[in-house]
Amino acid sequence: MSAVFPLSRRVAAEALGTMLLVATVVGSGTMADSLTNDTALALLGNTLATGAILVVLITILGPVSGAHFNPVVSLVFALRRELPASFVPAYIAAQVIGGIAGTMLAHAMFGLPLLQASETARTGGAQWLSEVTATFGLVFIIFAGVRFRADAVAWLIGLYITAAYWFTASTSFANPAVAIARSLTHTFSGIRPIDLPGFIVAEVVGALLALMFSAWLLMDARNPEPFAETESAP
């Protein structure tokens, strides 16, 4: 569907979607943190808002740009030759710029300085493994969803991120553009700029692993004979 839209509109959709996604992440985190001293309750508020906005943004902007809002998603779609490689730099630039604008928008709405350096430490093997896992799951669910339930992709991603907030130690950034944007907020959802490289590398690794695994698991059958005749049972 997005093939009918020119690159300029695709890029605008990616920037808008990433801006609103980050504004939701940062804004809901700030709101939740201001309303309760219970960290678990604040995280729940942050989680529900993020999952909900993903469903909305993917539903309305998916037909325009594919609703990536994430550099590693654009990268793996290009590697699958489902996004022209020449589009990738523009997509990534739009996502990063849109994410930073989302942080600034959230700060403006809560009367905070537009840009801040986060002091929230998020580093170490457990955090990096969490980001590999979160990004692997996200990319795999996108590919499997597109393959089997394209009509439900928005809900699948929204629900997955809602869950991944809670089963990963990193709270599932799974997105370099969002990570960069969150390094510029000293609020509930921030990450220290010095911790960014580890997160971004982990996210790229997770996305590439998901690309390779899904290419094998979801590939079309090459032999029309029944499974029982082509592959021995365990």
Side-chain angles (χ1 to χ4, degrees):
M1 287 183 290
S2 59
V4 302
F5 290 89
L7 180 58
S8 59
R9 297 186 192 180
R10 292 183 180 212
V11 168
E14 287 296 303
L16 174 63
T18 313
M19 180 184 74
L20 293 176
L21 171 60
V22 172
T24 300
V25 172
V26 175
S28 65
T30 303
M31 174 66 82
D33 195 38
S34 70
L35 294 176
T36 179
N37 292 321
D38 187 329
T39 303
L41 186 58
L43 182 61
L44 179 61
N46 196 201
T47 302
L48 294 175
T50 302
I53 199 64
L54 278 168
V55 174
V56 173
L57 293 176
I58 294 168
T59 299
I60 63 174
L61 295 178
V64 181
S65 67
H68 298 177
F69 316 141
N70 187 332
V72 296
V73 173
S74 299
L75 173 63
V76 293
F77 270 100
L79 291 174
R80 282 168 55 106
R81 299 182 180 178
E82 295 178 18
L83 178 72
S86 60
F87 286 12
V88 173
Y91 264 54
I92 292 177
Q95 292 154 359
V96 172
I97 293 170
I100 294 171
T103 293
M104 296 173 69
L105 175 60
H107 286 173
M109 290 190 290
F110 284 91
L112 300 172
L114 294 184
L115 294 176
Q116 311 165 339
S118 176
E119 297 177 12
T120 303
R122 299 179 189 265
T123 189
Q127 294 280 319
W128 301 330
L129 178 60
S130 294
E131 282 303 290
V132 171
T133 303
T135 313
F136 176 93
L138 172 63
V139 172
F140 177 72
I141 284 169
I142 290 170
F143 289 152
V146 169
R147 173 74 181 274
F148 299 122
R149 284 295 306 272
D151 61 324
V153 167
W155 283 98
L156 293 173
I157 295 172
L159 290 170
Y160 172 76
I161 292 297
T162 299
Y165 256 79
W166 288 87
F167 76 73
T168 63
S170 63
T171 66
S172 183
F173 284 46
N175 185 329
V178 169
I180 291 170
R182 289 173 66 168
S183 74
L184 300 173
T185 180
H186 186 44
T187 60
F188 182 80
S189 56
I191 175 176
R192 294 186 307 180
I194 196 173
D195 297 334
L196 272 178
F199 265 55
I200 292 173
V201 169
E203 289 155 3
V204 171
V205 169
L208 294 177
L209 289 174
L211 173 65
M212 292 185 288
F213 181 72
S214 62
W216 170 75
L217 185 69
L218 305 177
M219 67 179 176
D220 293 328
R222 297 179 181 177
N223 191 328
E225 295 180 14
F227 172 83
E229 299 178 16
T230 61
E231 190 167 334
S232 59

